[in-house]
């Protein structure tokens, strides 16, 4: 098990709602950006995925809000793999949004899969990509 990948964000004026809180949709956008950052940091940017003929598809997301986040605060999103099928074709990633004070602001669970873009079907990823997800498994990672 490895340490979770982390990405930081500053909450900008266009990230907040009329109440001055981080907008609900922005939590999902931060989670997606952090997930992409995890792939890029692991050597799997968009070009590498395209070269292999693979893409990630999102099958569903769930967000649980825990604490408020306000304008100009710094947040950090930690990404961990919490579920994989035996062939790693389908995955579940937990993205935890932390406030400046270290408290959890929200937890986003994303369920996704790898798709072979030529065949247009869910399939096991290339060995190198599979290894990246295997290495990012959390301690409580379950078999999907």
């Amino acid at each position: 098990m490895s340490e979770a990948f982390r990405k930081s964000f500053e909450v900008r004026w266009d990230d907040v709602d009329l109440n001055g809180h981080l907008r609900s949709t922005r939590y999902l956008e931060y989670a997606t950006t952090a997930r992409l950052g995890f792939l890029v940091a692991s050597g799997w940017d968009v070009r590498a995925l395209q070269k292999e003929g693979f893409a990630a598809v999102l099958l569903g997301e769930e967000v649980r809000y825990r604490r408020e986040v306000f304008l100009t605060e710094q947040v950090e999103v930690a990404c961990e793999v919490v579920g994989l099928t035996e062939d790693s074709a389908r995955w579940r990633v937990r993205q935890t949004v932390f406030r400046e004070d270290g408290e959890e602001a929200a937890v986003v669970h994303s369920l996704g899969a790898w798709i072979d873009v030529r065949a247009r079907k869910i399939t096991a990823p290339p060995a190198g990509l599979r290894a990246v997800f295997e290495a990012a498994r959390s301690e409580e990672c379950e078999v999907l």
Side-chain angles (χ1 to χ4, degrees), residues 1-48:
M1 309 302 157
S2 66
E3 188 172 317
F5 173 83
R6 294 180 176 266
K7 183 162 183 65
S8 297
F9 300 88
E10 178 183 2
V11 178
R12 303 174 324 179
W13 71 269
D14 61 332
D15 294 338
V16 298
D17 61 19
L18 292 173
N19 296 317
H21 302 129
L22 186 61
R23 308 190 262 123
S24 59
T25 55
R26 194 61 87 198
Y27 286 96
L28 296 173
E29 292 165 2
Y30 285 175
T32 299
T33 301
R35 217 170 41 248
L36 177 59
F38 160 68
L39 286 173
V40 170
S42 301
W44 287 92
D45 63 9
V46 174
R47 287 183 188 94

Side-chain angles (χ1 to χ4, degrees), residues 4 6 22 27 30 62-70 73-80 82 94-109 140:
R6 294 180 176 266
L22 186 61
Y27 286 96
Y30 285 175
E62 175 186 84
V63 61
R64 300 265 184 204
Y65 304 102
R66 307 257 193 244
R67 299 280 184 272
E68 298 170 310
V69 175
F70 298 99
E73 283 191 61
Q74 294 285 325
V75 296
E76 189 172 57
V77 181
C79 297
E80 296 178 284
V82 295
R94 176 179 58 219
Q95 294 104 160
T96 306
V97 180
F98 293 98
R99 298 179 348 161
E100 289 177 344
D101 62 8
E103 287 201 54
E104 283 186 6
V107 179
V108 179
H109 282 96
E140 68 270 12

